Amino acid sequence: LETIRARLQTVPLACITPVFSTRETLEPDYQELSDHTREVVRNAVKTEPMHGDEHTTLIEGLDLLGPKDADGFSGDGVHPNDLGFNLIAERISTRLSSWT
């Protein structure tokens, strides 16, 4: 983020944590990796010089496609299907439209 921001100081950036994967309920190691990755993204957005950057927003992937959206996953339980991508698009557009 620092590298991008150094070159593109006012370009809006949306950083998104990973969406849910059904593998998280079946594989503890995968759950741990997902939680870790979400925390890395959150921390990257919070650290300087990003802290207070009005041109960067954090979007939680679990808000875009979460455990209650089981019908939105393909057969592998990891990748969204057409419904899942539609849910993500609707939810992210709502979030970005309210971003000032």
Side-chain angles (χ1 to χ4, degrees):
L1 289 173
E2 288 178 22
T3 301
I4 293 169
R5 215 17 111 214
R7 184 170 175 139
L8 305 168
Q9 297 173 0
T10 59
V11 172
L13 297 175
C15 300
I16 304 171
T17 63
V19 299
F20 179 74
S21 166
T22 57
R23 286 181 63 188
E24 293 180 46
T25 60
L26 304 172
E27 301 172 38
D29 288 344
Y30 195 88
Q31 170 73 50
E32 214 172 285
L33 176 62
S34 295
D35 289 341
H36 172 75
T37 305
R38 289 181 186 110
E39 195 59 30
V40 167
V41 174
R42 288 182 195 115
N43 287 338
V45 172
K46 291 177 186 175
T47 60
E48 296 298 333
M50 304 309 299
H51 186 69
D53 181 351
E54 66 208 37
H55 302 292
T56 302
T57 190
L58 175 69
I59 298 174
E60 292 291 340
L62 293 174
D63 294 340
L64 301 178
L65 197 62
K68 295 180 181 177
D69 300 311
D71 291 344
F73 293 97
S74 65
D76 67 3
V78 175
H79 298 93
N81 59 22
D82 289 347
L83 173 62
F85 280 117
N86 190 41
L87 291 170
I88 291 170
E90 287 175 8
R91 292 168 181 171
I92 202 168
S93 66
T94 299
R95 175 65 191 267
L96 293 178
S97 68
S98 65
W99 183 20
T100 54

